[in-house]
Structure formats: C-alpha cells, structure tokens
Amino acid sequence: MTTFAEFSLTSRRTAAVLGALAIGTLAFTPAQAALLPLFPFFMTPPAQWQPAPQAPTYQTPQAEDDSVAVAQPARFRRQIVTYATREAPGTIIIDTPNTYLYYVLGNGQAMRYGIGVGRDGFTWSGVQTVTKKAEWPAWTPPPEMIARQPYLPRHMAGGPGNPLGARAMYLGGTIYRIHGTNMPETIGTQVSSGCIRLTNQDVSDLYSRVNVGTKVIVLPMDRRADNAAGKRG
C-alpha cells in the first residue's frame, strides 16, 4: 500500500520530468523548428546546378583602314623605284599625267606613291615649297570653291570624315595641298580641284619624310616626270 509520503515523492519526480520536457520544447525557436524536417528520411533533392551568368562582351570598333577597304592596283602601291633625276634627295616631284608622286631618295631611286590629281581644267604646274604641315587638318573651302559649289560647308573640323584626310602639306601661298583622302578609290584619277591626294596610309608615310621648306615640282599634264625631272638642274 502506497503511503502518502511515497505518493508525494512520485508526484514530484513526474512533475520534474514533465517540466524538463516542456523546457526542452520551448528552447527551440519557430525558425529552428522549421529547419528540422518532420521526416528526415525523405530529403528534398538539391536544385540543378546552373553556371553563373557572364557579363556581356563588346567588340572594340576597328579603326578605319582604307588599304583594307579598297585594294589598290599594284602600280599605285607605295614602292621604291629606279628614278633618274638631278633633283636633290628630299625633293617631291608630281607626275600629273601618270598620277604618281615621287619622293627623291638619291642614288637613282625614289619612293613612288599613287595619287589623285586635278580634274580637267583644274590641273596646274610650277615649283612650290611646303610651308606648313598639319595632322588631321581642318578644312575651310576657299571662296573660289564655294562659288562653284555653294552647298559645301564653310568649315569642317579635322577627322576621318574630313576630305583632307589624315595629313596635309600646304604648298606656298596657294590654295593647293598634298593631303590624304577618305576616298581611296579616287587614287589614279583626275578628280580634285587641283590638290594632290594620297591614301591616308601613304600621306602619313610621306608626311614623316617631308620637312617645311621641301621643294615640290608639279609637272604639267603634257609632260612626263621621268623626262622632265632629269633635265632640271
């Protein structure tokens, strides 16, 4: 027979056990409880692996290269040729009828460039000197040109779209220049208002060789450079 004392002791032990269980249950927060699956044997399969998105790539614009855009005939490509003349090395000779520019190297040789020259009625001849050099020059059409072509801009800043191209060498006090062009297909033609044009690559090469004060001989349309230049002294 259970005595009152034994019953009280048993009751106290049972209460202690239940209290401990209650404290253990309260020790888990709702967030922690959510992390414990109800049935740990059935695990959710991991999500399929996906590669990290990559930043978009951009292609760098390529610089304009008129030697790629237009294939020059072999005879208009820059080249060293045999050239007999009495002119001093460093002289420029413009062979107008054959659309060549010769830069005299000496020892019977010259660097030859293909050029574009003045159209019919706009060719000229004479001796000048380079009085100014400019990289990516601005263009201000002279009044004579504006009178003929009133639609032309009064001024255009230098750059790839400028008709004077990458370099310009100004001839004396005239309106004429030796300059580059953004229309390399016109090399070998009579197209300008009297200026001498080269591809941008060729005019840059010539520009690096020429100094202010360089002598420039422009031959008339009815004479050949290889005949006339040798007679000059």
Side-chain angles (χ1 to χ4, degrees):
M1 183 175 184
T2 304
T3 65
F4 177 80
E6 292 173 335
F7 176 81
S8 298
L9 178 60
T10 302
S11 298
R12 287 196 298 272
R13 289 175 178 172
T14 301
V17 171
L18 293 175
L21 291 174
I23 292 172
T25 301
L26 293 175
F28 288 94
T29 64
Q32 290 171 320
L35 295 176
L36 298 177
L38 183 61
F39 300 102
F41 307 103
F42 301 97
M43 302 298 294
T44 302
Q48 185 177 1
W49 178 84
Q50 296 291 336
Q54 296 183 354
T57 57
Y58 301 93
Q59 186 175 5
T60 303
Q62 299 298 314
E64 292 187 357
D65 186 352
D66 53 29
S67 66
V68 173
V70 177
Q72 294 291 328
R75 74 184 189 94
F76 292 136
R77 295 173 189 164
R78 181 172 74 242
Q79 56 192 291
I80 295 176
V81 297
T82 299
Y83 188 69
T85 180
R86 296 179 184 176
E87 298 296 338
T91 303
I92 292 174
I93 300 174
I94 307 295
D95 179 358
T96 306
N98 293 302
T99 60
Y100 290 139
L101 182 152
Y102 293 92
Y103 178 81
V104 179
L105 299 174
N107 297 319
Q109 291 187 318
M111 183 69 75
R112 190 179 74 186
Y113 306 82
I115 59 174
V117 299
R119 60 186 182 273
D120 189 28
F122 288 87
T123 59
W124 59 282
S125 62
V127 179
Q128 293 291 337
T129 58
V130 174
T131 52
K132 177 183 174 182
K133 297 172 60 180
E135 299 184 8
W136 294 107
W139 180 46
T140 302
E144 300 92 330
M145 187 177 290
I146 294 292
R148 294 190 304 268
Q149 301 167 286
Y151 54 84
L152 291 175
R154 277 25 180 190
H155 182 80
M156 182 181 291
N162 191 300
L164 295 185
R167 304 287 186 271
M169 288 152 276
Y170 297 75
L171 302 180
T174 72
I175 62 173
Y176 303 121
R177 308 167 183 83
I178 299 171
H179 63 78
T181 181
N182 52 25
M183 300 176 65
E185 66 276 9
T186 61
I187 299 303
T189 67
Q190 300 174 21
V191 67
S192 76
S193 295
C195 287
I196 308 302
R197 62 175 63 179
L198 297 82
T199 65
N200 281 334
Q201 286 81 6
D202 282 355
V203 80
S204 296
D205 180 84
L206 180 64
Y207 185 95
S208 69
R209 303 172 186 271
V210 169
N211 298 315
V212 171
T214 292
K215 182 180 180 181
V216 180
I217 301 170
V218 181
L219 299 174
M221 196 66 180
D222 60 350
R223 296 176 67 183
R224 291 177 55 86
D226 52 359
N227 291 333
K231 297 178 182 179
R232 295 178 180 272

